[in-house]
Amino acid sequence: METASILGVRFDAVTMQQAVDTAMDRLRACRKGYVVTPNPEIVDLCRKDSAYRDIVNRAALVLPDGIGIIYAAKILGEPVSGKVAGVEFAEHLVSAMAKEHMRLFLLGAKPGVAEQAGKNLCAKYPGLVLAGTHDGYFSDPQTAVDAVNACGGADVVFVCLGAPKQEKFMAQYQDALDATLLCGLGGSLDVFAGVAKRAPDIFIKLGLEWFYRLLKQPSRIGRMMTLPKFLLIVIGQRLSGRKGK
Ligand code: UDP
């Protein structure tokens, strides 16, 4: 698999279909691992925390979430096959899992959200088995591990705790969890539950989803400043001729 390096973070140059096929192959072979979907905020966290960067780089699949990563890859001349947004990957994976009656556990978001997300996904993708759900506001991570294991395990766990919590959780507990593939997917359960809406298609197509989110939630401005800052750092790397860190 071809990979790109963006400020020290590895990205897999895969299309959506290749990402889903890779995940399904691993599931059928019961090969444990976790999937991460870094956006510029996560790459920025990786620059500041090398232990976190190692966790991200050890993932089975690293998918470029967001237009900022695609711009960065272009600026650096690194190969990527286009955006593979976490929430879209999740839905395609669920669709493929449903055809093989695979088991999905949803972990994360506020109480009630994972249950609603599960109901909606099961209604949309008949054949999917909802192994269980648990909210993301636990004080002891072992509670979440026990919840997954007590329901008889799952093929896939969507771990939606926000970054960097979800990636650290996946790396630390993957061996203890009775599950094959863990996917760190940020606010995806809010989307599946209908609590948060994605931008209209036209914004997504134009690469302006970030702008829509900003209009809807102006308090995100602080987080959003990461994007121009991130691109400036990438341009600086390009000019200095160093692609790595
Ligand atoms: N969250 C959680 N536990 C926590 C902190 C956050 O379950 O301790 C959830 C939160 O409710 C939301 C998701 O993690 O559903 C993170 O959403 P955010 O919009 O920050 O993620 P993004 O998709 O932007 O990375």
Side-chain angles (χ1 to χ4, degrees), residues 61-80:
L61 262 176
V62 187
L63 304 176
D65 183 306
I67 201 72
I69 300 298
I70 304 305
Y71 286 152
K74 288 214 170 104
I75 292 166
L76 293 169
E78 291 281 309
V80 285

Side-chain angles (χ1 to χ4, degrees), residues 50-234:
S50 63
Y52 179 55
R53 189 188 64 210
D54 291 345
I55 287 174
V56 169
N57 283 341
R58 276 202 304 270
L61 262 176
V62 187
L63 304 176
D65 183 306
I67 201 72
I69 300 298
I70 304 305
Y71 286 152
K74 288 214 170 104
I75 292 166
L76 293 169
E78 291 281 309
V80 285
S81 303
K83 188 173 93 167
V84 184
V87 65
E88 284 168 30
F89 167 75
E91 186 143 5
H92 283 90
L93 182 61
V94 166
S95 165
M97 288 171 67
K99 292 188 186 115
E100 301 187 25
H101 301 280
M102 286 189 179
R103 293 168 62 81
L104 174 68
F105 190 101
L106 302 177
L107 170 64
K110 302 211 171 106
V113 173
E115 284 93 327
Q116 188 59 50
K119 270 191 206 147
N120 294 352
L121 288 173
C122 286
K124 195 163 173 191
Y125 299 103
L128 179 71
V129 182
L130 187 66
T133 61
H134 196 285
D135 70 77
Y137 293 85
F138 42 82
S139 48
D140 180 0
Q142 192 59 45
T143 325
V145 175
D146 291 345
V148 175
N149 294 350
C151 73
D155 295 291
V156 176
V157 183
F158 286 174
V159 183
C160 301
L161 308 171
K165 202 171 169 186
Q166 60 199 12
E167 289 79 19
K168 290 182 176 172
F169 177 89
M170 293 192 294
Q172 186 169 353
Y173 294 102
Q174 65 170 339
D175 290 340
L177 282 163
D178 183 5
T180 306
L181 196 68
L182 314 177
C183 303
L185 296 165
S188 298
L189 297 184
D190 297 314
V191 174
F192 294 140
V195 175
K197 293 251 177 302
R198 284 199 80 194
D201 277 357
I202 184 72
F203 282 85
I204 296 177
K205 280 204 188 94
L206 293 173
L208 291 174
E209 187 167 13
W210 60 272
F211 182 59
Y212 179 83
R213 292 178 90 178
L214 182 61
L215 291 178
K216 284 276 169 198
Q217 218 185 321
S219 59
R220 292 180 75 97
I221 187 73
R223 285 178 64 174
M224 292 217 159
M225 289 315 288
T226 314
L227 183 62
K229 232 174 58 192
F230 167 77
L231 289 176
L232 281 175
I233 294 166
V234 168

